[in-house]
Amino acid sequence: MYSSLGKPTNIFWQECPVGKADRQKLLNQKGCVVWITGLSGSGKSTLACTLGRELHNRGKLSYILDGDNLRHGLNKDLGFKAEDRTENIRRVGEVAKLFADAGLICMASLISPYRKDRDFCRSISSDASFIEVFMNMPLELCEERDPKGLYKLARAGKIKGFTGIDDPYEPPLNCEIEIRPENGVCPSPCTMAEQVVTYLEEKGFLQE
Ligand SMILES: Nc1ncnc2c1ncn2[C@@H]1O[C@H](COP(=O)(O)OS(=O)(=O)O)[C@@H](OP(=O)(O)O)[C@H]1O
Ligand SMILES: Nc1ncnc2c1ncn2[C@@H]1O[C@H](COP(=O)(O)OP(=O)(O)O)[C@@H](O)[C@H]1O
């Protein structure tokens, strides 16, 4: 059966005998979403990988949902126009929510340039377990790094709609963690990861 909007009806929620609380007890941690947003080249993947290693060393189970990687599979039908980015973020937000429900510390590392899309992901998670991390790095630094040569191509007009060049990036207004240069120097990957670990520790995510 389908509704007038073409959506299926007669769908019910199936409860399962083992819940999030049981899984968290098993893992001795609390499931959450660490949503890392920022320009291309701002260090999202570097932070996610360093944080993932640190959590692993501490015996904590985590998983990285990386925008670039997901575009090889789950999101391979999507491009970079606004509605595709929105759908990209929506899907990853839903997957991240499932991982957090599984009890994992789920890092989502995507540019996620539009505030409303990030806010949607927050709205479907329980508020306290959605941790938005803003990689507040200047465009000049990201462009100087340009590890994939994409800024160069965008400046040459060979890529259209590149975030920060001719497509917008809307910085968070109320993120939990902001990572930015101190006295013009970007913190090391370990220092960035430590900042997030400290937050997770203080908020009690690293124990059941
Ligand atoms: N037009 C355009 N704009 C921005 N980025 C582009 C574009 N085309 C390709 N790329 C590469 O795709 C990576 C970003 O993918 P995301 O899924 O994170 O993007 S988004 O959240 O949907 O905006 C991004 O990876 P990162 O550099 O790791 O951020 C780029 O390598
Ligand atoms: N804290 C840092 N200090 C020095 N170099 C960094 C730091 N974070 C990232 N980088 C470098 O900057 C480049 C872009 O980082 P990356 O993590 O791929 O960014 P993003 O995932 O946001 O595109 C890489 O070459 C990486 O080694």
Side-chain angles (χ1 to χ4, degrees):
M1 287 286 284
Y2 292 86
S3 72
S4 57
L5 294 171
K7 300 230 169 81
T9 55
N10 301 334
I11 308 270
F12 299 89
W13 187 263
Q14 176 67 52
E15 288 298 339
C16 302
V18 179
K20 184 176 184 185
D22 303 301
R23 292 185 285 272
Q24 293 188 150
K25 207 169 212 171
L26 196 69
L27 295 168
N28 189 30
Q29 63 186 50
K30 290 199 187 81
C32 61
V33 176
V34 177
W35 191 278
I36 308 171
T37 173
L39 292 171
S40 175
S42 60
K44 302 181 297 296
S45 305
T46 302
L47 170 60
C49 291
T50 313
L51 179 58
R53 170 57 62 194
E54 178 58 28
L55 291 171
H56 186 79
N57 290 346
R58 289 169 177 244
K60 301 299 162 194
L61 192 58
S62 68
Y63 195 79
I64 300 174
L65 299 172
D66 185 279
D68 252 340
N69 293 353
L70 293 172
R71 282 173 175 277
H72 285 91
L74 178 69
N75 294 330
K76 68 177 171 191
D77 56 326
L78 301 175
F80 289 92
K81 47 184 208 271
E83 57 266 40
D84 281 10
R85 291 188 201 247
T86 295
E87 175 60 9
N88 184 31
I89 303 313
R90 187 193 71 78
R91 287 184 199 171
V92 179
E94 293 284 0
V95 174
K97 179 185 168 184
L98 295 177
F99 274 76
D101 188 54
L104 275 70
I105 296 162
C106 180
M107 292 166 269
S109 161
L110 296 95
I111 296 179
S112 40
Y114 308 140
R115 207 173 282 137
K116 69 167 177 39
D117 297 340
R118 298 191 303 266
D119 287 348
F120 167 79
C121 296
R122 183 187 288 277
S123 75
I124 60 170
S125 297
S126 78
D127 200 33
S129 67
F130 187 87
I131 301 146
E132 192 172 354
V133 181
F134 174 32
M135 304 300 295
N136 190 0
M137 300 297 159
L139 175 64
E140 300 71 49
L141 173 68
C142 301
E143 203 168 345
E144 200 177 294
R145 287 175 171 169
D146 202 11
K148 301 169 194 159
L150 297 179
Y151 281 102
K152 206 177 226 171
L153 290 174
R155 287 286 185 198
K158 291 182 180 152
I159 300 180
K160 301 278 183 224
F162 196 78
T163 305
I165 305 298
D166 55 352
D167 216 58
Y169 179 81
E170 300 169 357
L173 299 174
N174 54 358
C175 61
E176 281 70 15
I177 301 174
E178 182 179 348
I179 296 185
R180 59 185 155 87
E182 289 292 333
N183 303 317
V185 181
C186 177
S188 72
C190 284
T191 306
M192 301 195 301
E194 259 171 44
Q195 199 178 328
V196 182
V197 168
T198 301
Y199 181 93
L200 294 174
E201 250 174 351
E202 283 175 4
K203 300 287 176 187
F205 287 103
L206 302 188
Q207 61 197 44
E208 187 270 319

